[in-house]
Amino acid sequence: MRIPLSWLNDYVDVKDVPVAELRKRLDLAGLEVEKVDVIGHPGAELPWAPDKVLTAEVLSVRPHPDADRLVLAEVNYGGSEPEIVVTGAPSLYRRRGERDLHLKVAFAWKGAVLFDGHSEGWTKRKLKETKIRGVRSRAMVCSEKELGLAEEQTDIIYLPDDTPVGVPLVEVLGDYIFDFDIKGPFGHLQSVYGVAREVAALLDRPCSREPLEAVTRLGLHTTEQPDFIDLEIRAPDLCPRYTAAMIRRVNIGPSPLWMQMRLRRAGMRPINNIVDITNYVMLELGEPLHAFDYARLHGTQPERPAIIVRRAAAGETMTTLDETPRTFDGETLLITDGAGPVAVAGVMGGLHSEVAPETEDILLEAANFKFTNVRRTAQTLKLFTESAGRFGKRVDPELTLIAAARAAELMQSLAGGEVLPTVGDLYPGRPQPVTISYQPALADRLLGVTVSPQEQARILRALEFQVEAQGADWTVRVPSYRLDVRRAVDLVEEVARIWGYDRFPHTLISEPLPPLRENKSLLGEEQVRDLLVALGLDEVITYSLVDPQDEGRLTPPAAAPLTLPGQPVLLQNPLAPERAQMRRTLLPGLLRTAWANLRYLERVAIFELGRIYYAAGQPSVPEARTGVAEPRYLGALLTGPRQARWWQPQDRSALDYFDLKGIVESLLQSLGLLAETQWQRGDHPSFHSGRCAEVRLHGKRLGFIGELHPLVREAFALPEQPIVLLEWDLDLLLAAAGAVEPERRLKFISNFPPVREDLALVVDEDVPALDVQRAILKAGYPLVVGALLFDVYRGPQVPPGKKSLAFALSYQAPDKMLSSKNINSLRRRILKQVQKRFGATLRA
Amino acid sequence: MSPFDELEQVRADALDALTACTTLPALAAWEKQYLGRKGQLTRLTRAVGTLPKEERPTFGKRANAIKQELTAAHEARLAQVKQEALSKDLAQGAVDVTLPGRPVALGHLHLTTQTLRQLYAIFAQMGFEVYEAPDVELEAYNFDLLNIPAYHPARDMWDTFWVRDEPHSEARRLLRTHTSPGQIRAMRERAPQPLRVILPGKVYRYEQITTRSEHQFYQVEGLAVGRTITMTDLIGTMHQFAELFYGAGRKIRVRSSYFPFTEPSIEIDTDCILCGGKGCSVCKYTGWLEIAGAGMVHPVVLQNGGYDPAEWSGFAFGLGVERPAMMKYGVKDIRYFYGNDLRFLRQF
């Protein structure tokens, strides 16, 4: 919302307040000024030099002796004698030969910097003394474009007749336009007058009541049955009030310059005097108005037209002012006449009854509509007008008559209309006056500062609250336009913001600390992050909203379908089809991240730790249940060469399953879970069938780890290189880590060197190496402290269908050096065990 | 040649040969040849028995002296050769110390995680624990219970993603547009105990993705409920936060504002971290940067949370996560955060 300071000044005198100071006060009081546009004053795009750009009057116009399209204007600019100005301004050209004129204009003296009126865009030009067809030219009369006031060059600008001559133009036309960003449903702040009222309270100054008093000035009285229109409200729940004034015999034409200028500065385009007046009063008072061409309204009886406010019949249609045909549903509120819809209530008028150049009589609507309904209609029709915006923020129903009178008054003075003294006014939704019981002590309790009761009363009264202050219990009557104030705490806010937050001391909570609880799940999550980062992985955070097609991309054609938990959570209004679903798996996010990074990097080693989402059960508000499960998952991905290029020999082979496995083994080790996991060949459609493990923990599936299926790799447009990844249930992992944590005890640290020996065992091809290793450690417990698998051999020296697993064993006791006798017996025990369990034999 | 002469001859040969020894193996061979058990000197010494009895002591003495002399000479020569070898090795084994070291892959925490952790740490010092709430929320929790009924203009402040539910569902769902619904969840869980929590998490807005806006980002909400909590406590807490997060000596400024779930509502600015308040493009020449929206918990919200507003009061605040990081590190494009360009993430 843009408010010119010059306009604000009409109601509250702030001429002596520096603009920056005023802005600061407004900002702090909650009327946030986003920016200030400066016109003419220092700081403007085009400052008008006060000694070179002046007001002036054209006294006479005579033809240029040597040019057909130019004239010579005799201009009094306050100097000792008039200046002759060469101009081609069309309106002056038409007056050539006229004398005794008093046309007030903007005048620029040589040296002034102005915009070039004849070039496209905004080019600054310094006015120089020159000769135009033999006549000296050292000054000019200016157009709006040249002053930076309008984009198009049409004619020179004319100032009001009472403008003094020879004063700096900036004093007359200069301005500061405050662009407000006011958050919240505050209808009372959606107008120049509303802001003026706030400024008056903030600065403790009077605020003019002039714009509110046109009813009295015009001597208007209201009736439910005016003789010029039949009024009926059939939906009083949606239309608390409908006021209709009648203005006869208006002359449609342009509105005066001052009004056009104000409208433009407020961001609206001037159209004609009648439409401009409705917009002007809307900007001034915050009540949207609508002017109908009275002659185009139909009646239910021949004598007079009718206005019926009702809900639309579903499917009813009308073409709005913007020449768009609209179809309405049954909750749309319409203004109709005897023949059909003439306006969408509070949103936009109909094309048919629009004010036109030939319009004579105006039916002026000033109504009040239920704000939620106007908002709903605007949203449904996607029609966000100034009117709908204001109604949507709640407008005081008391304003209709005041604003109608104000507009009628202006139509009388600016369009030559004749205002009928009788105004139609239906007011089925007249609100009860609102009073609040208020204890000034509440402010102290909530604010932590002491604002004296006298000061609180002063502030509330300045904001036009009526305060009956008796002792500790007050009765406060809320002004009709303060629809946002309904509770005592709302009054506390008024006190606080006017008293000034800059006066508040800074304290910390003085109460004892509530009992603290450890957030174990968060600690676990952060621990996993730290471990994976220490293991050389980069953390990524991808979008929760994903392409629903991605789940399909994870399944190669003809493979068994991917099983993901629950049902997908889909959006009703996605931004784009590829962001239409909440992810049920982290894998696509990792694959897409790899894809994007492989364009720039050869090696990607990443992990993500985040929630997946799936529908599980019905939502229930009483039970606070969303019906969506959001377990945390861990995903990781590696691809690219194992080692970076270097100047010495390096391992450039591709990262594979065992690289990722090594990383997660370290993770599991740190969490105390390595020995608790079971690893087995996994069956998951997204993974290479031979290089995929299902990892189980305490009998539950933790997830899969393996190499990406080549067809899935293709589906994600990834380069032809091994990509290894995993996706595990982090909640399960952390729960297990939490469960084993109390069981963890220090293992002995021996001061005796271990005895090492290698043991090569021949077993069947399908015997899992991990099982053999665990059997060795178990059989040798606790004196076998290590069984490192260092070689897997298949070849001539072992029979077909068998493999040799070579383990480096470490024997160590906490308290002595082991003898060869001890070791022999341990070895025998181990061999017996592996023979029994796996049919393993010692390799010759 | 008499044994005496032979003895002298061996000595002379040995000393000659020793000077020709320039390597450790040559010295070892020399030692074996002259001083070893089968060496020449040993062999000669054994010949002492062939000498007349009276000559034997003289011969023995001389042989011993020569052995000592040769041993000493060997040791000296050995030391010399070792020294030479060492000097040579030190001289020749020099590497170009400017060659790069063996590369080790270094992992990085996401910038968002790093920022969240800073916030956790700061508020942990002030007694706030972390409370987590779901991303997919009930409309009632995201809006109604926070004093934002349907079609209320306040809903305009949040463009919402709705979950595709059955039509006219009693419990419509959405992606939380702010972390505030967690306030209700935390209060209902803890009432009637006092509480201090921060609620971090992803939030979602129906917004086109641009350099300045994302449809997914993080927030950290704070909530304190107690019997004596005041606006000045809120302002003090925010000041403390500004000093700990943006640096000591930060000033703050409080502006009145509007949020449906707080009353009174405020916004908190800090003096611009880049220009220190003089005015620059980051603070849009105001000298101030907005760091939080906050306020005293609205009585309706307290009531919905299970606290009697006549006895309890509370404050709430909402902080951004990406924006402070963007300001701090000069990140001009929010899309870097969840685009996960590793060249971005690895800078932090």
Side-chain angles (χ1 to χ4, degrees), chain B residues 264-277:
Chain B
S265 301
I266 57 171
E267 281 177 288
I268 295 124
D269 301 336
T270 187
D271 50 333
C272 178
I273 57 169
L274 282 161
C275 64

Side-chain angles (χ1 to χ4, degrees), chain A residues 626-641:
Chain A
T626 65
V628 174
E630 304 186 9
R632 287 172 303 169
Y633 268 55
L634 164 67
L637 178 149
L638 304 181
T639 190

Side-chain angles (χ1 to χ4, degrees), chain A residues 25 196-205 458-459 462-463 498:
Chain A
R25 295 293 297 268
R197 210 150 33 191
E198 282 278 317
V199 170
L202 275 172
L203 303 178
D204 207 8
R205 292 181 180 196
R458 185 198 69 76
I459 289 169
L463 291 166
I498 302 295

Side-chain angles (χ1 to χ4, degrees), chain A residues 28 375 445-446 493 507 511 519 526 538-539 541 543-544 570 572-573 597 611 613 626 630 647, chain B residues 100 108 113 117 135 151 156 162 164 204 214 216 227-228 231 233 256 263 265 309 340 342 346:
Chain A
L28 295 184
R375 287 168 45 76
R445 171 164 100 84
L446 289 179
E493 174 160 75
T507 60
E511 296 181 17
N519 187 332
E526 298 299 343
D538 292 324
E539 186 192 12
I541 298 177
Y543 293 115
S544 306
L570 295 165
Q572 191 183 314
N573 58 334
N597 278 289
R611 294 175 182 180
Y613 310 84
T626 65
E630 304 186 9
W647 54 277
Chain B
H108 301 80
T113 301
R117 285 186 176 186
D135 287 18
Y151 287 110
D156 285 357
W162 293 92
R164 197 192 291 170
Y204 305 85
E214 254 290 8
Q216 162 189 315
R227 290 180 183 275
T228 66
M231 179 62 89
D233 293 342
S256 180
E263 189 76 27
S265 301
N340 294 298
L342 295 177
R346 287 177 182 167

Side-chain angles (χ1 to χ4, degrees), chain A residues 23-24 27-30 32 183-186 371-372 375-376 379 392-394 444-449 487 489-490 492-493 496-497 501 504-517 519 521-522 525-527 529-530 533 536-545 569-575 579 582-583 593 597 600-601 603-608 611 613 617-621 624-628 630 643-649, chain B residues 99-103 105-110 112-113 117 120 126-127 129-138 140-141 150-153 155-157 160-164 170-171 173 175-176 185 190 194-196 202 204 206-209 214-216 218 224 226-233 235-237 239-240 252-258 263-267 286 296 298-300 309-313 315 337-338 340-343 345-346:
Chain A
R23 178 181 185 171
K24 190 184 131 196
D27 271 339
L28 295 184
E32 188 179 340
K183 297 185 185 83
F186 299 132
F371 72 107
T372 51
R375 287 168 45 76
R376 185 190 168 280
Q379 282 172 18
K393 290 190 163 148
R394 291 198 288 194
D444 302 346
R445 171 164 100 84
L446 289 179
L447 299 179
V449 291
R487 295 163 177 274
V489 66
D490 299 331
V492 173
E493 174 160 75
R497 70 188 183 92
Y501 285 113
F504 278 53
H506 300 183
T507 60
L508 291 175
I509 302 175
S510 53
E511 296 181 17
L513 215 54
L516 288 178
R517 290 158 227 224
N519 187 332
S521 89
L522 180 70
E525 191 179 315
E526 298 299 343
Q527 186 190 2
R529 282 198 177 93
D530 284 336
V533 165
L537 268 52
D538 292 324
E539 186 192 12
V540 300
I541 298 177
T542 68
Y543 293 115
S544 306
L545 284 168
V569 175
L570 295 165
L571 292 191
Q572 191 183 314
N573 58 334
L575 265 181
R579 298 253 173 265
M582 294 297 276
R583 64 184 181 196
T593 304
N597 278 289
Y600 307 106
L601 305 167
R603 183 180 190 275
V604 171
I606 52 176
F607 73 97
E608 176 164 18
R611 294 175 182 180
Y613 310 84
Q618 286 302 309
S620 156
V621 176
R625 200 174 57 218
T626 65
V628 174
E630 304 186 9
Q643 288 181 349
R645 285 181 77 100
W646 194 44
W647 54 277
Q648 285 203 357
Chain B
L99 281 171
R102 194 179 293 277
L106 177 65
H108 301 80
L109 284 173
H110 196 283
T112 296
T113 301
R117 285 186 176 186
Y120 298 162
M126 293 190 256
E129 60 183 290
V130 176
Y131 186 96
E132 286 163 295
D135 287 18
V136 181
E137 255 302 356
L138 295 160
Y141 276 72
Y151 287 110
H152 191 276
R155 285 205 182 184
D156 285 357
M157 295 164 81
T160 309
F161 283 117
W162 293 92
V163 170
R164 197 192 291 170
E170 291 282 301
R173 291 172 295 181
L175 307 192
R176 62 173 169 192
R185 292 182 179 275
R190 302 288 165 88
L195 94 110
R196 271 183 232 182
K202 272 184 189 170
Y204 305 85
Y206 186 93
E207 270 178 30
Q208 297 301 327
I209 303 170
E214 254 290 8
H215 74 279
Q216 162 189 315
Y218 279 75
R227 290 180 183 275
T228 66
I229 286 175
T230 65
M231 179 62 89
T232 58
D233 293 342
I235 296 171
T237 303
H239 192 190
Q240 186 99 331
I252 64 161
R253 173 176 92 153
V254 178
R255 287 179 288 116
S256 180
S257 189
Y258 170 77
E263 189 76 27
S265 301
I266 57 171
E267 281 177 288
T286 62
M296 300 303 291
H298 196 284
V300 167
E311 281 179 42
W312 295 84
S313 60
F315 66 64
F337 282 78
Y338 308 114
N340 294 298
D341 188 329
L342 295 177
R343 295 169 302 167
L345 297 177
R346 287 177 182 167

